[in-house]
Amino acid sequence: IMGGALLVLPTSMHYASIAPGLLLVLLFGTMSISTMVMLSHAAETRQQFSYRTLVEHSAHLRLAQVLEVMLFFYTFGVLVEYGRIIVDSMPSVMTDMFHLHGVITEGWLWLLMACAVFFPLTSMKALAKLQWTSLLGLVTILYILALVVVRFFDGSYRKGADLVS
């Protein structure tokens, strides 16, 4: 959800204000890093490298099944979020930035294109195959972050500013 959350970070910081916003970013970042370190340590200690087997060996089979259902809904929610972001943003990007009209500005077309990309990626058995798409996602997030910082300092986010130009 980091990618989608990064897209709303400027608005969130605006409403929370800078000090509480930065405090929340640091808090949730610390919690995420701590959780990943603990999971990595537990996986190495137990030599179990999937959520289900790690929970089965650490707690109980029923808890592992509950965790599996929770992970399914989390992943499904992420797909819905990204689909919604694409459907909401791409038609206006095509119209406002590229001055295109017609079927390319229809939300259903962008949803179909997103599904054509998402389905093969979510159907892979091994996550190692996603290393290049993950790197591409990270580079994209850093690019968007750089744009947000540049546009913040050039005054694009002031009241009445034109966000499209």
Side-chain angles (χ1 to χ4, degrees):
I1 295 184
M2 183 180 147
L6 194 64
L7 292 174
V8 298
L9 189 59
T11 304
S12 301
M13 294 293 263
H14 171 76
Y15 287 113
S17 77
I18 196 74
L22 284 176
L23 183 64
L24 287 172
V25 167
L26 290 173
L27 173 69
F28 290 127
T30 303
M31 288 171 51
S32 294
I33 290 170
S34 299
T35 302
M36 292 310 293
V37 167
M38 287 187 276
L39 278 171
S40 299
H41 180 70
E44 286 291 328
T45 302
R46 294 248 183 206
Q47 290 298 303
Q48 303 296 325
F49 299 100
S50 76
Y51 282 121
R52 183 185 178 118
T53 56
L54 186 59
V55 173
E56 281 177 4
H57 288 89
S58 301
H60 190 270
L61 176 62
R62 179 63 65 194
L63 185 59
Q65 292 168 339
V66 169
L67 179 69
E68 211 165 81
V69 170
M70 288 170 53
L71 285 173
F72 169 79
F73 283 112
Y74 168 79
T75 306
F76 182 74
V78 169
L79 286 173
V80 169
E81 175 196 10
Y82 282 125
R84 189 76 228 174
I85 289 170
I86 289 169
V87 167
D88 285 347
S89 61
M90 289 310 294
S92 57
V93 166
M94 292 293 118
T95 303
D96 297 340
M97 293 183 74
F98 299 109
H99 308 291
L100 298 173
H101 301 283
V103 72
I104 196 75
T105 62
E106 297 291 330
W108 62 265
L109 175 69
W110 286 100
L111 183 60
L112 285 177
M113 289 193 295
C115 289
V117 172
F118 293 159
F119 182 74
L121 293 176
T122 59
S123 299
M124 291 183 180
K125 296 276 185 208
L127 292 178
K129 295 178 183 178
L130 296 176
Q131 65 185 353
W132 299 111
T133 55
S134 295
L135 181 61
L136 177 64
L138 177 64
V139 168
T140 304
I141 288 169
L142 293 175
Y143 173 72
I144 291 171
L145 178 63
L147 282 178
V148 167
V149 169
V150 166
R151 294 197 69 172
F152 173 79
F153 286 111
D154 75 2
S156 296
Y157 294 128
R158 288 193 190 113
K159 284 191 179 197
D162 184 15
L163 293 176
V164 178
S165 62

